[in-house]
Amino acid sequence: MAEQYVQYLRRLLLLLRTVFHLVYLVSDIATVIYTVVVMVRKTSEPGASERLLDMRDNAPAFLTNWNMAFQGLFLVLAVWADGLEWGGRTRGRLGGWVIYLRDVIFCALVTPYAVFLSHSFWAIYWYDRELVFPRVFDEALPWWFNHCVHTNIIVMVALETLLQARPYPTSRKHEEALYWTVSIVYAAMMYILYLVTGHWLYQIFGVMTWWKTVLFQLYMWFTPYLAYRLQFPLNRLIHGSAEAQYYRQCLDYTQISKQEKQIREEDL
């Protein structure tokens, strides 16, 4: 009876995760399509604002869009993994790879940048929105757009943390390498754009002295990294050792080294 109850709870949790992942994936796709259509239409009109044109041209460089790409990739893998789990195929090589990539991307990219973007964007927005999202952008993008790309991202991370046990890194080596690679590449791209065009991608840098720019860059690097490190003790606090034990036993990560497995078992 107790075993049947546990199986029921696991199925219910899987159903909640599947619905959650599908809803967020569909909403993200709809948001991206709507934004692209509206921006193309608005910037094609005669007399379009230079700020809107800059926003369109620099769209691939904005960290918000990078984060949406990370989140979209994670959700695709999450829906795939949910489907494999419904079919009882998570223990094979394919299932192991899908779940491995899903968790590495969530831990190394989605969580750190969602936490950083959500709190920093809204803090600067309420201080002086012209520094991050000028009022002229309201001509093209509705009021709910910012909540889709700067508020819902942290809600998604919170729900995923509640619904999926990730008490320890899938692979700290791979996750930290991915995090620091993306962080350094993004910083280099931002400074190269400034050197080439003479304009900052984000207006907030234009009102800073050089030492404030350095401090803010360090803040951009280490605040997401702090979020990366804190997500695991938070997950253990929520799910506890029993959930962590279930997680370790049921998922087949084919690429985890013997040493990493031994460390994880000792931690558990």
Side-chain angles (χ1 to χ4, degrees):
M1 185 68 180
E3 184 178 350
Q4 291 178 345
Y5 181 67
V6 170
Q7 290 297 329
Y8 168 77
L9 289 179
R10 289 174 179 173
R11 286 288 179 177
L12 178 60
L13 189 60
L14 176 57
L15 176 62
L16 291 175
R17 287 201 306 266
T18 304
V19 172
F20 155 62
H21 291 148
L22 284 171
V23 168
Y24 257 88
L25 179 59
V26 171
S27 65
D28 281 2
I29 293 173
T31 299
V32 170
I33 293 175
Y34 175 86
T35 304
V36 170
V37 171
V38 169
M39 286 301 295
V40 168
R41 187 179 74 243
K42 286 291 184 179
T43 54
S44 299
E45 296 175 352
S49 168
E50 288 293 330
R51 298 293 293 274
L52 281 179
L53 294 174
D54 288 341
M55 183 183 186
R56 179 199 63 189
D57 295 341
N58 292 322
F62 287 114
L63 188 59
T64 295
N65 294 336
W66 282 42
N67 183 71
M68 290 295 289
F70 300 150
Q71 182 172 296
L73 178 58
F74 160 73
L75 288 170
V76 168
L77 291 169
V79 171
W80 191 354
D82 292 340
L84 290 172
E85 190 168 350
W86 280 111
R89 301 176 61 186
T90 57
R91 291 182 178 273
R93 178 173 292 274
L94 176 61
W97 269 108
V98 171
I99 295 171
Y100 185 85
L101 291 174
R102 177 200 68 182
D103 289 348
V104 166
I105 290 170
F106 178 80
C107 295
L109 299 178
V110 175
T111 295
Y113 289 111
V115 171
F116 170 76
L117 273 171
S118 188
H119 88 269
S120 62
F121 174 85
W122 288 114
I124 298 171
Y125 183 94
W126 292 116
Y127 172 74
D128 183 358
R129 65 170 296 181
E130 295 300 316
L131 298 176
V132 288
F133 198 84
R135 286 180 173 80
V136 68
F137 292 174
D138 294 342
E139 298 176 8
L141 300 172
W143 65 269
W144 49 262
F145 171 79
N146 273 326
H147 291 292
C148 287
V149 298
H150 295 118
T151 304
N152 282 354
I153 56 175
I154 197 66
V155 175
M156 191 275 285
V157 168
L159 290 174
E160 179 69 14
T161 301
L162 290 172
L163 294 174
Q164 178 66 66
R166 291 184 180 86
Y168 300 97
T170 302
S171 171
R172 188 178 297 280
K173 178 178 67 175
H174 292 162
E175 290 171 0
E176 293 205 8
L178 183 59
Y179 170 77
W180 285 112
T181 298
V182 170
S183 297
I184 293 171
V185 167
Y186 188 81
M189 179 210 65
M190 188 171 62
Y191 288 112
I192 289 172
L193 281 175
Y194 172 72
L195 293 174
V196 170
T197 65
H199 299 287
W200 287 106
L201 181 63
Y202 302 103
Q203 293 301 311
I204 189 172
F205 286 103
V207 300
M208 290 181 175
T209 58
W210 70 268
W211 64 270
K212 290 181 180 179
T213 299
V214 172
L215 289 178
F216 192 75
Q217 181 65 74
L218 293 175
Y219 177 76
M220 289 180 65
W221 276 344
F222 290 106
T223 301
Y225 183 70
L226 181 62
Y228 164 72
R229 294 300 297 265
L230 290 178
Q231 66 183 305
F232 304 113
L234 176 61
N235 198 289
R236 292 196 294 271
L237 181 65
I238 293 171
H239 294 280
S241 58
E243 280 296 324
Q245 184 73 17
Y246 166 70
Y247 176 78
R248 178 173 64 82
Q249 291 176 347
C250 293
L251 300 185
D252 177 21
Y253 291 126
T254 58
Q255 300 302 312
I256 295 180
S257 66
K258 292 182 179 179
Q259 183 179 6
E260 288 173 316
K261 286 182 179 179
Q262 182 179 359
I263 292 173
R264 180 173 299 175
E265 290 171 359
E266 291 173 356
D267 288 337
L268 289 171

